Amino acid sequence: MNINEVYKLVSYLVDKYQGTYLSPDDFNTVINMAQNQYLSFLTDDTGGPNRNPKNPVGMSTSAIVADTLSTFLTETTLSITSQIANKPADHYKTVAIRTDDDNYAVRFVASDRISSFVGNAIDAPTNTEPIYYEIGSTYKFYPNSLSSAKLTYIRVPMTLKWAYTGNLVWDSANSVPAGTALEWGDTDVYEIIYRAVGIIGINLKDGDLMRAAQLVKNDGL
C-alpha cells in the first residue's frame, strides 16, 4: 500500500465512525505515532532511554517478526575514539556488536556493572572478550585498545507524510514515500492503521478494516 491508499482508508474510517474530517496534518501525526507504536511492539521496547539494548529485538521469538524487521536491519562499522563511538543517526535499537574482523562478539554490560568488569583482575575485558555500554547517543567500549567495531541495528522507519496540492489533491512527489509502497508489508500496514484509528478513538471489530479497505478500493473513494 502507498501513503495515499493509507490516507484514503483512514479518512474513510474517521468519516464513517466519527462523522468528522481528518486533516492531512492530523493524519501525518497519527500515522507516525501508530508506526512507532507498532515498531515498539515488534521489538519488545520497554520505553527506557536506551531502548532496552541488552535484549534481542524479538527476532528469536518469531520468524514472522524477523521477516518483518528484516527491512529495517542495518549494519555499519563504528569508529571508536577514546573508547567512544556515536550511534548512527537512524539508530532505533541495537541488535549486536562484534569486532571488526567478525571473530568476537562485543558483550553488552549494564552501566552500573561496568566497574566490576573493568576492575576484575581475572576476567577483565580484552580484545577477544570486549564489552560495551550505552551512554545516550553513544557507545563506550572496553578495553581502550578497540578502534572499530561492527554494529547490527534496527533503523528508524522513514517518517510518513501525505502531501497535497490545491484542493487536497495528493502530491505524490512530495509525499513520503514518494508514490511507492510503504516500507512495511500490507499486513503490517493494516496493523499500523488499526493503531492509528485507535489513537483517534475508533475501536474496530474483527473484519471491519478489511471490509473498509475493499470498499475504498472498489469504489475509488
Side-chain angles (χ1 to χ4, degrees):
M1 298 177 69
N2 63 39
I3 194 65
N4 189 48
E5 292 169 325
V6 175
Y7 172 74
K8 289 193 295 183
L9 179 52
V10 174
S11 296
Y12 169 81
L13 291 167
V14 171
D15 179 59
K16 175 180 173 65
Y17 290 98
Q18 293 188 334
T20 57
Y21 162 72
L22 181 67
S23 72
D25 285 346
D26 287 342
F27 166 79
N28 290 333
T29 297
V30 166
I31 202 66
N32 282 292
M33 289 175 61
Q35 177 177 241
N36 292 337
Q37 284 185 6
Y38 186 55
L39 180 60
S40 174
F41 164 74
L42 290 175
T43 57
D44 297 324
D45 197 344
T46 62
N50 289 333
R51 298 188 187 274
N52 201 18
K54 64 181 179 180
N55 292 334
V57 297
M59 289 185 168
S60 61
T61 63
S62 169
I64 295 175
V65 171
D67 183 61
T68 296
L69 291 175
S70 64
T71 299
F72 306 102
L73 194 63
T74 305
E75 183 174 282
T76 190
T77 298
L78 299 172
S79 178
I80 305 170
T81 303
S82 299
Q83 297 182 259
I84 299 294
N86 292 321
K87 294 179 182 177
D90 62 351
H91 175 275
Y92 179 79
K93 193 167 189 176
T94 303
V95 176
I97 302 180
R98 60 191 187 278
T99 55
D100 57 7
D101 58 8
D102 292 323
N103 287 335
Y104 307 101
V106 183
R107 182 165 42 127
F108 171 83
V109 174
S111 58
D112 59 352
R113 298 186 60 214
I114 284 292
S115 59
S116 65
F117 282 86
V118 174
N120 190 324
I122 298 175
D123 193 26
T126 67
N127 286 336
T128 59
E129 293 184 337
I131 62 174
Y132 79 95
Y133 71 101
E134 299 195 24
I135 312 174
S137 61
T138 65
Y139 301 103
K140 185 166 185 178
F141 292 87
Y142 294 87
N144 59 14
S145 54
L146 291 180
S147 60
S148 62
K150 287 186 178 179
L151 167 68
T152 303
Y153 68 102
I154 299 294
R155 67 170 175 80
V156 176
M158 63 177 64
T159 300
L160 304 174
K161 179 183 179 182
W162 187 81
Y164 65 95
T165 60
N167 190 24
L168 293 180
V169 176
W170 178 39
D171 182 358
S172 173
N174 289 305
S175 292
V176 180
T180 60
L182 272 64
E183 295 179 291
W184 305 90
D186 283 355
T187 300
D188 300 299
V189 174
Y190 286 129
E191 290 285 348
I192 292 169
I193 292 172
Y194 266 117
R195 287 165 170 76
V197 298
I199 292 169
I200 295 169
I202 300 171
N203 296 314
L204 298 177
K205 298 179 181 178
D206 290 344
D208 286 347
L209 180 56
M210 298 306 296
R211 284 190 290 270
Q214 194 61 47
L215 179 64
V216 171
K217 180 178 180 180
N218 292 342
D219 293 355
L221 297 177

